[in-house]
Structures are given as structure tokens and as C-alpha cells.
Amino acid sequence: MKFIIDLIEDVREQIGNHEEYVVTAGLLKADETDSTKLIYAGETPLNLAVLNDETKQLNFKIDGSDMRVTIGALIPPLLIQDMDKMMYELRMDVNVQYSNVEVVGFGKNDEDKKYILFIKV
């Protein structure tokens, strides 16, 4: 389980808060032959990030639109939140089948300027 504070810290350490990085979802699936291993199954850009006080989550959404979540748009508003909100969980809505999926890790692709939020299905 990852929280907003984990995201902020990792973005600062991994990419130095570079604003132009696009936030993407990275899909990990369990290996059919060895359930202890995960296989990278692709990625897609995230279209929306919503802070939800009711569920205490930062929820990322994929809706197929041309909108893109960038580090420059995501991080500054999070930095001014109070400490309680820093402990909101990171979740993702991929589609109807995979909604409210837990973010399990972070990554980056410096060549393509992508910051990756990994989910496991």
C-alpha cells in the first residue's frame, strides 16, 4: 500500500520533481507458472487525479481522453496539503473491471519522461 507521502518522496528522489514527466499506469500480472513473480504487461497514461476526502484516497483514473497527468500539475497542490492528507492511499481506476486498484510501487522512464505507478491485477 502506497500513500501520498510515499509518492512525493519518490518523485523528489527519482526524478527531482521534473514537471514535464507524464504520470502513467504500469500493469503487473502474476506469472502463470510462478505466482511469486510478476510480469510487466504494459502501461498507459493517466488522465485524471482526484483527491477524495470521503474515502481518504488519491484516485487516478484512465478514461481514454487526451488529458494527461503531469508531475508539474500533480505535485504542487499535494505539497500544500495538511499531514492527514499525506496519509491518503494511492488508488487507480483502470476500467469497470479494475476499479479502486491499489498502487503497489513506483518507477520511471527517463528516456520517455514517464513516471510510473505500478498496479497488480
Side-chain angles (χ1 to χ4, degrees):
M1 180 180 309
K2 297 294 182 183
F3 302 95
I4 290 175
I5 191 77
D6 300 324
L7 173 69
I8 291 170
E9 184 178 313
D10 193 71
V11 165
R12 183 179 12 219
E13 289 176 5
Q14 296 298 320
I15 63 172
N17 290 338
H18 284 283
E19 295 181 0
E20 69 276 5
Y21 275 68
V22 174
V23 184
T24 63
L27 178 61
L28 301 173
K29 290 186 175 183
D31 187 332
E32 293 178 9
T33 59
D34 184 353
S35 62
T36 63
K37 294 182 181 178
L38 296 173
I39 298 173
Y40 178 72
E43 64 186 51
T44 190
L46 295 169
N47 305 114
L48 192 61
V50 178
L51 197 59
N52 187 326
D53 292 326
E54 192 173 299
T55 62
K56 298 189 180 206
Q57 296 176 346
L58 175 58
N59 196 276
F60 296 93
K61 298 181 185 294
I62 299 169
D63 63 12
S65 71
D66 290 334
M67 293 176 49
R68 299 289 183 257
V69 176
T70 63
I71 293 298
L74 177 66
I75 296 298
L78 294 178
L79 291 173
I80 62 172
Q81 300 298 321
D82 61 32
M83 196 55 197
D84 289 342
K85 290 186 181 179
M86 293 294 170
M87 296 308 296
Y88 282 15
E89 291 180 58
L90 302 179
R91 295 288 181 147
M92 192 177 303
D93 291 337
V94 178
N95 56 32
V96 175
Q97 183 182 1
Y98 297 109
S99 64
N100 202 29
V101 179
E102 179 181 335
V103 173
V104 296
F106 309 116
K108 66 176 179 166
N109 179 330
D110 290 325
E111 186 176 307
D112 294 333
K113 301 277 189 229
K114 293 179 183 176
Y115 184 77
I116 306 165
L117 302 178
F118 288 107
I119 59 171
K120 178 185 162 193
V121 294

